[in-house]
Amino acid sequence: MPARILVAEDDVKQAQLIRIYLEREGNDVQVVADGRSAIDRARSTRPDLIVLDVMMPNVDGLDVCRILRAESQVPILLLTARSTEEDMLLGLDLGADDYMTKPYSPRELTARVRALLRRSRAAGGARADVLTVGDLEIDTARFEVRVAGGHVPLTGKEFAILTVLAEEPGRVFTRAQIIDRVFGFDQNVLERTVDAHVMNLRRKLEKGQPDAHRVETVYGRGYRLAAGDER
């Protein structure tokens, strides 16, 4: 079954080779060339699997693996020129699902990707495309939001914030956590920027339903999405 795969590799030729082989399998492949972009893209597109080079600029692959593993169970295949047992164990301890050393066979990489995807799906680890909270539906594959069946147009940042909140309804997210997950930790985003996005998001979700109170402010802490049975 085709999957959405994120390839994080700063070597242009290697990245292109991986893309060619994975796309031959019918997969939708996106490529980024540095660690910060890998984190941001993984958070915004929710891939089914990540092929992650260890030696990358800005943020190395091991830190990317550690950060993303704390947020999701997406399968991660590490690629590295380091071949010692200590390096392999470190990558696996940080949450990687598999490990390949360079140079590697693109055919073997493709086979390992297939195996990781099968394992993830068999374990029920495939990402849900639609998040549902009460009468609110968020289609992460089509980037669409519906309230009581009606389409709600959102900006990219509004959609990303709503998705973060909807993944754990009832949980309070601080502004700093929202900045980290939506904007990326390397950007100088002010907390009032988050407030402005949430204000617009709330206005759009509650249009014509002023008493809906879907996105709630928890004073002194942050924001949460009310669970369907709380409203």
Side-chain angles (χ1 to χ4, degrees):
M1 184 183 298
R4 277 173 287 188
I5 299 176
L6 174 63
V7 176
E9 168 64 78
D10 64 326
D11 185 308
V12 176
K13 291 183 178 179
Q14 288 291 320
Q16 182 61 19
L17 185 63
I18 295 171
R19 180 197 286 272
I20 290 171
Y21 272 80
L22 293 179
E23 286 184 342
R24 284 178 182 173
E25 301 274 305
N27 299 302
D28 177 12
V29 181
Q30 300 182 55
V31 176
V32 295
D34 65 85
R36 287 173 179 165
S37 297
I39 294 170
D40 290 342
R41 190 68 62 85
R43 287 169 170 169
S44 63
T45 64
R46 307 282 197 262
D48 297 303
L49 182 141
I50 300 174
V51 178
L52 179 62
D53 184 32
V54 169
M55 301 296 291
M56 285 193 300
N58 297 326
V59 181
D60 72 30
L62 293 178
D63 281 335
V64 173
C65 181
R66 174 180 54 80
I67 291 168
L68 293 180
R69 178 54 73 238
E71 301 175 1
S72 78
Q73 295 302 310
V74 60
I76 298 175
L77 171 60
L78 281 182
L79 306 177
T80 182
R82 302 168 181 171
S83 58
T84 66
E85 183 180 29
E86 288 77 12
D87 289 325
M88 180 183 71
L89 292 176
L90 177 58
L92 296 175
D93 285 343
L94 289 173
D97 297 273
D98 201 355
Y99 198 100
M100 295 186 69
T101 57
K102 298 179 180 181
Y104 54 82
S105 161
R107 293 178 63 187
E108 181 183 356
L109 183 146
T110 304
R112 293 202 187 192
V113 165
R114 284 198 302 267
L116 286 173
L117 288 171
R118 283 197 303 269
R119 190 184 312 161
S120 174
R121 286 162 175 163
R127 177 185 51 78
D129 284 337
V130 179
L131 299 172
T132 302
V133 182
D135 61 356
L136 172 65
E137 293 182 354
I138 304 164
D139 191 326
T140 59
R142 294 181 174 85
F143 293 92
E144 294 179 353
V145 173
R146 294 177 289 274
V147 172
H151 176 68
V152 179
L154 300 181
T155 67
K157 289 295 185 289
E158 291 165 0
F159 184 90
I161 291 172
L162 180 60
T163 300
V164 169
L165 298 178
E167 286 178 338
E168 298 184 65
R171 172 183 168 179
V172 179
F173 287 86
T174 66
R175 291 169 178 82
Q177 288 171 328
I178 293 173
I179 289 172
D180 182 47
R181 296 197 180 194
V182 173
F183 297 88
F185 60 84
D186 61 316
Q187 299 191 30
N188 296 319
V189 178
L190 300 176
E191 290 191 350
R192 63 173 174 265
T193 302
V194 175
D195 295 337
H197 283 299
V198 170
M199 180 179 67
N200 290 331
L201 174 61
R202 182 183 285 136
R203 175 176 52 81
K204 293 178 180 179
L205 292 178
E206 298 175 2
K207 185 176 182 180
Q209 297 177 304
D211 298 324
H213 303 302
R214 290 183 173 84
V215 179
E216 300 178 338
T217 301
V218 180
Y219 292 99
R221 298 184 64 189
Y223 297 102
R224 70 170 186 164
L225 184 68
D229 56 358
E230 293 181 351
R231 294 189 293 104

